[in-house]
Amino acid sequence: MSENDHPHAPKKTKTTAPVSAFRKSLGNEKGLVNSWNEWDTLEEIIVGIADKAVIPPKEPAFEMKVKDSGKIHMLEGTGYRTEQSIKMANDQLNYFVELLEGEGVVVRRPDVVDFNVPVKTPDWEVPRMNTSACPRDLLLTLGNEVIEATMSWRSRFFEYRPYRGILKDYMKRDPCMLWTCAPKPLMADNLYRSDYPTDYSAKNKELVRNYIYLTSEEEPIFDAADIMRFGKDIFVHMGFTTNEFGFEWLRRHCASRGMRAHMLHFPDDLCPFHCDATFVPLRPYLALENPARPMEPFERRIFEENDWKLITAAQPNTMEMPALSQCSPWLCMNVLSLSEKVIFCEETEKEMMNLFNDYGFDTIPVPFRNVFEFGGSFHCVTTDIRRRGKKQSYFKALDAQEAAAQ
Ligand code: ABU
């Protein structure tokens, strides 16, 4: 019997990446998983589903969010969202999928998972989970890598489950794909500051201005929706869902991949929660900012010094959000780029579409308000897996500083 025929000899499998292919992938050769920014031409994407979604249970960070959006009654939620609201959201999600497929984009959907089940770890217990409507909150694509975020709410601890089928498939089919799970937090009581004021008082303002948030620095946490990708650079929105420890994990991870990570703070936002209704890049050297949530001036400078133009979002069409949506009306900014020329927008957001048209974009209006109850709009309900371009730097001044430091 030769060494290779031995029953315990390592088997060659189709999923083993040849080293040469792996090296090529690091040199930006394009694989099945390949997305470096928010605007290159879209080729493959995950779109969430509303099935078996629940109203999340009461826990510190969710409580703060519903207070911010004036939806305190959501804390009385007991289980599944109504069959009718799930159907209405799924109808709009499915129509959006048809549009994407009509544009030649490959669309994947998560598995149906029942979220109305209690979750218990050695440290805590919650009566139910959340939804698989928002893959963006969990999955971060950095080039050929998909990172499962730590998450920050207990109800979202197991939110990776509906996506595991898709990720296993990518791993099998793309020998260059990297699949990374960021360290799972314990989410014990000491991750949430028990004395944090929740009345939006002067004290809240002072804390947020000093970058002290509801979540502590006990362990690294981040939601993937706090990250905006700009090629070689990522920008990380700091707040209740991402802490400095989480940023540090991302910074070191990015450095190991030849990338740079930068913090962003928006000190007028008293409930800082995800970047994608606050600061959204649209194409190279053009990004959208929220007039109600200005960026810290010293952080804004990095964009100005690198020739980025920041344009102010139009006011939302209405300040009224659906009764069971914890999101802010600034979901009008939560758009998805089909390419650096075309943007999907909610059909009622006429002012926002006019603004995009003024800057030379075509817009595709899509009815989407029935999805808002499930946690977001186009950016939230998607995770792009493949876009056409390569890793590139859009921050030449940072490149120069980096070169000078070497
Ligand atoms: N996940 C986006 C929600 C942001 C907001 O409510 O403003």
Side-chain angles (χ1 to χ4, degrees):
M1 186 165 48
S2 85
E3 231 176 63
N4 288 345
D5 295 333
H6 190 280
H8 298 300
K11 301 265 181 303
K12 274 196 172 170
T13 69
K14 281 188 189 152
T15 58
T16 306
V19 172
S20 56
F22 180 70
R23 288 217 178 103
K24 268 190 187 168
S25 82
L26 293 181
N28 305 327
E29 197 74 13
K30 204 172 97 175
L32 178 59
V33 177
N34 179 82
S35 178
W36 292 100
N37 59 45
E38 310 287 335
W39 59 77
D40 277 340
T41 301
L42 187 62
E43 294 184 340
E44 181 152 347
I45 195 160
I46 302 173
V47 176
I49 55 173
D51 305 64
K52 298 202 180 289
V54 298
I55 296 177
K58 182 171 169 166
E59 60 175 297
F62 181 60
E63 194 171 346
M64 199 71 192
K65 184 69 183 137
V66 295
K67 280 191 174 154
D68 183 60
S69 52
K71 299 290 173 53
I72 192 109
H73 57 273
M74 286 183 71
L75 298 177
E76 309 305 320
T78 51
Y80 291 120
R81 290 179 181 272
T82 65
E83 258 180 51
Q84 197 201 8
S85 67
I86 290 176
K87 183 184 177 313
M88 282 163 54
N90 272 337
D91 285 350
Q92 293 195 334
L93 285 162
N94 293 342
Y95 177 59
F96 177 45
V97 167
E98 274 176 36
L99 293 178
L100 284 163
E101 288 176 340
E103 297 290 341
V105 178
V106 177
V107 179
R108 303 293 303 266
R109 313 299 298 274
D111 295 333
V112 174
V113 161
D114 189 358
F115 290 96
N116 199 17
V117 291
V119 171
K120 187 173 179 348
T121 76
D123 301 292
W124 49 265
E125 187 170 2
V126 288
R128 57 193 179 278
M129 300 193 276
N130 187 19
T131 176
S132 48
C134 293
R136 184 73 64 178
D137 297 353
L138 175 86
L139 299 175
L140 172 65
T141 307
L142 290 185
N144 61 329
E145 179 177 29
V146 180
I147 300 176
E148 291 178 20
T150 67
M151 306 309 284
S152 55
W153 294 4
R154 290 171 175 168
S155 57
R156 310 193 77 176
F157 187 85
F158 285 111
E159 209 162 293
Y160 56 84
R161 298 181 72 246
Y163 306 100
R164 283 290 170 93
I166 302 177
L167 295 180
K168 283 191 286 188
D169 179 57
Y170 286 140
M171 181 89 186
K172 286 180 186 159
R173 289 165 56 218
D174 180 351
C176 301
M177 184 243 190
L178 299 176
W179 177 7
T180 303
C181 300
K184 273 318 250 180
L186 298 185
M187 294 187 183
D189 288 349
N190 57 8
L191 179 60
Y192 308 97
R193 297 183 205 275
S194 58
D195 56 350
Y196 203 82
T198 60
D199 55 355
Y200 290 90
S201 57
K203 183 73 188 159
N204 279 87
K205 281 191 188 147
E206 186 193 322
L207 290 170
V208 167
R209 292 213 167 114
N210 287 297
Y211 307 158
I212 297 170
Y213 302 114
L214 174 72
T215 36
S216 74
E217 291 294 335
E218 181 60 29
E219 56 189 340
I221 51 159
F222 67 92
D223 281 7
D226 277 320
I227 292 128
M228 282 294 169
R229 301 161 307 145
F230 291 67
K232 185 175 175 177
D233 293 272
I234 65 165
F235 288 83
V236 184
H237 172 273
M238 307 302 295
F240 291 1
T241 41
T242 294
N243 62 12
E244 290 190 13
F245 210 168
F247 172 82
E248 184 55 18
W249 186 89
L250 283 161
R251 192 194 64 76
R252 291 186 202 182
H253 188 80
C254 284
S256 76
R257 305 211 54 202
M259 297 174 69
R260 299 176 291 227
H262 316 270
M263 288 189 197
L264 291 181
H265 298 86
F266 300 86
D268 287 356
D269 184 1
L270 297 192
C271 188
F273 170 92
H274 297 170
C275 199
D276 48 7
T278 298
F279 182 64
V280 179
L282 300 171
R283 67 179 178 223
Y285 307 105
L286 189 73
L288 187 65
E289 58 177 347
N290 183 327
R293 302 172 181 170
M295 188 186 295
E296 196 65 273
F298 74 88
E299 291 171 342
R300 207 168 196 284
R301 220 170 295 138
I302 190 174
F303 294 96
E304 290 160 357
E305 286 169 1
N306 286 277
D307 302 324
W308 278 80
K309 184 176 172 68
L310 307 190
I311 57 171
T312 305
Q315 287 293 311
N317 163 56
T318 169
M319 288 296 172
E320 284 297 313
M321 292 297 275
L324 296 178
S325 169
Q326 70 266 21
C327 295
S328 77
W330 292 105
L331 279 193
C332 63
M333 294 176 63
N334 196 269
V335 295
L336 180 79
S337 295
L338 179 64
S339 69
E340 60 177 62
K341 296 197 173 70
V342 183
I343 301 177
F344 287 103
C345 301
E346 212 290 323
E347 65 171 6
T348 60
E349 300 295 348
K350 305 267 190 254
E351 290 304 313
M352 195 61 89
M353 285 189 273
N354 288 341
L355 176 73
F356 290 142
N357 296 156
D358 288 348
Y359 279 89
F361 294 98
D362 287 335
T363 49
I364 304 181
V366 185
F368 223 55
R369 282 186 69 83
N370 295 340
V371 179
F372 290 4
E373 285 194 12
F374 294 78
S377 193
F378 304 103
H379 196 261
C380 296
V381 303
T382 53
T383 291
D384 40 300
I385 290 296
R386 193 170 64 260
R387 288 185 183 265
R388 210 168 272 169
K390 294 180 174 182
K391 181 169 79 173
Q392 252 176 266
S393 171
Y394 302 90
F395 292 85
K396 295 290 174 247
L398 294 180
D399 298 341
Q401 280 166 21
E402 211 173 57
Q406 277 166 4

